[in-house]
Amino acid sequence: KPSAYTRGNTDFIRMCENEELDLVYNATPWEWHVPICVAAMKNGKHAATEVPAAYTLEDCWQLVETAEKFKKHCVQMENCNYDRFELLTFHLVRKGMLGKVMHAECGYLHDLRAVKFDYNGEGLWRRAYSMKHNANLYPTHGLGPVAQCMDINRGDAFDYLVSMSSNSRGLQEYVAKTFPEGAPERKEQYVLGDVNLSLIKTKTGRTIMVSHDTNLPRPYSRIKKVQGTKGLVEGHPERLHIEGRSPAHK
């Protein structure tokens, strides 16, 4: 019979201390990703976490240093790396069909207004980040597959970035439309810009644009654009152009 660990929010520490486990898989609200991974590795377990793994440079280094000290793997589980179109793009890059990859565009564009106000699910914790942070809160769904295509940390690396956000209006208008006068949601203040754009330069001089938008009405998209010297792959809609093989541009 499985053991239950229900003695408060940090009872995962007791689990990591007591159980003989190979790996601890972490699918909790974001604030617990680092503490759970650290507790697992300190107690001799490998750690795997849902994204995002961490939100501060200090926490990122804590994961790295703990993994190195205790010689345990700490893996960020980015499932979008393994979607059909992302794997097709990765295969085309590896085969040289696109030539040298020079630029990519990606993102997480997902109308989460209803999710953020769902009191039976992620809304219990996810909306709070829209009140505390003005940034790209969820970059890796788009950036993970692009990083594979650009050999990030396997020959190239991110060098620096510039990031900016639009004003914040989407959640305010959603609240005004959805909740009656006097509802506590009407008193909340949101700082997350509706659209965040980040431009990344790599060590070898290539560029990446990463977008984030979870506050506005829109169809889902991760953009999925990889531009090489010989061709282009682009998603939503999915398109492929190989110079000399695809119909000429008109």
Side-chain angles (χ1 to χ4, degrees):
K1 182 179 178 180
S3 301
Y5 292 88
T6 58
R7 301 177 188 173
N9 289 340
T10 60
D11 206 27
F12 60 84
I13 297 175
R14 187 167 63 94
M15 181 196 75
C16 292
E17 292 172 343
N18 294 344
E19 298 288 345
E20 293 185 8
L21 305 171
D22 295 318
L23 179 142
V24 173
Y25 185 88
N26 183 356
T28 63
W30 299 342
E31 65 185 288
W32 297 107
H33 288 184
V34 172
I36 290 173
C37 287
V38 168
M41 291 186 287
K42 283 184 175 180
N43 286 280
K45 284 81 173 169
H46 300 297
T49 181
E50 286 288 340
V51 299
Y55 262 98
T56 67
L57 286 175
E58 291 77 12
D59 280 347
C60 289
W61 279 115
Q62 186 180 11
L63 292 177
V64 171
E65 290 168 354
T66 304
E68 291 178 346
K69 179 178 179 180
F70 293 94
K71 295 180 170 54
K72 293 298 173 183
H73 295 297
C74 184
V75 182
Q76 184 172 231
M77 305 298 288
E78 181 43 75
N79 58 292
C80 289
N81 286 346
Y82 307 102
D83 276 8
R84 182 192 66 84
F85 193 71
E86 278 80 355
L87 287 176
L88 169 63
T89 303
F90 188 46
H91 179 71
L92 292 170
V93 170
R94 284 289 180 263
K95 289 291 186 180
M97 299 295 290
L98 302 183
K100 177 67 174 177
V101 175
M102 303 304 296
H103 174 76
E105 297 179 15
C106 57
Y108 183 65
L109 311 175
H110 191 182
D111 182 357
L112 293 181
R113 292 173 300 168
V115 172
K116 291 182 181 184
F117 289 92
D118 178 6
Y119 290 98
N120 294 310
E122 292 183 24
L124 293 170
W125 55 269
R126 191 163 186 165
R127 187 170 78 258
Y129 288 86
S130 298
M131 293 185 269
K132 296 186 292 185
H133 300 283
N134 183 16
N136 186 330
L137 301 182
Y138 210 66
T140 62
H141 272 5
L143 193 55
V146 163
Q148 288 193 132
C149 291
M150 288 189 160
D151 294 320
I152 299 301
N153 296 332
R154 292 175 174 83
D156 202 352
F158 299 141
D159 191 10
Y160 61 90
L161 65 80
V162 177
S163 184
M164 65 187 73
S165 295
S166 72
N167 293 329
S168 178
R169 294 288 183 272
L171 293 183
Q172 290 88 333
E173 292 188 7
Y174 181 83
V175 167
K177 180 179 66 175
T178 307
F179 295 95
E181 292 288 345
E185 290 82 1
R186 288 201 170 221
K187 298 179 181 179
E188 295 178 352
Q189 300 294 318
Y190 309 109
V191 300
L192 176 65
D194 290 338
V195 178
N196 176 274
L197 295 176
S198 301
L199 290 174
I200 301 173
K201 194 72 173 287
T202 74
K203 289 285 189 179
T204 64
R206 298 184 286 180
T207 52
I208 306 168
M209 185 178 76
V210 189
S211 304
H212 179 268
D213 172 5
T214 59
N215 291 351
L216 299 176
R218 56 162 304 114
Y220 181 89
S221 174
R222 295 197 300 274
I223 303 175
K224 301 190 297 189
K225 178 178 180 179
V226 177
Q227 176 70 65
T229 56
K230 295 181 180 179
L232 166 78
V233 176
E234 190 169 27
H236 295 284
E238 296 176 354
R239 296 185 291 175
L240 168 65
H241 179 87
I242 302 295
E243 190 172 41
R245 297 193 180 191
S246 301
H249 173 69
K250 296 180 181 179

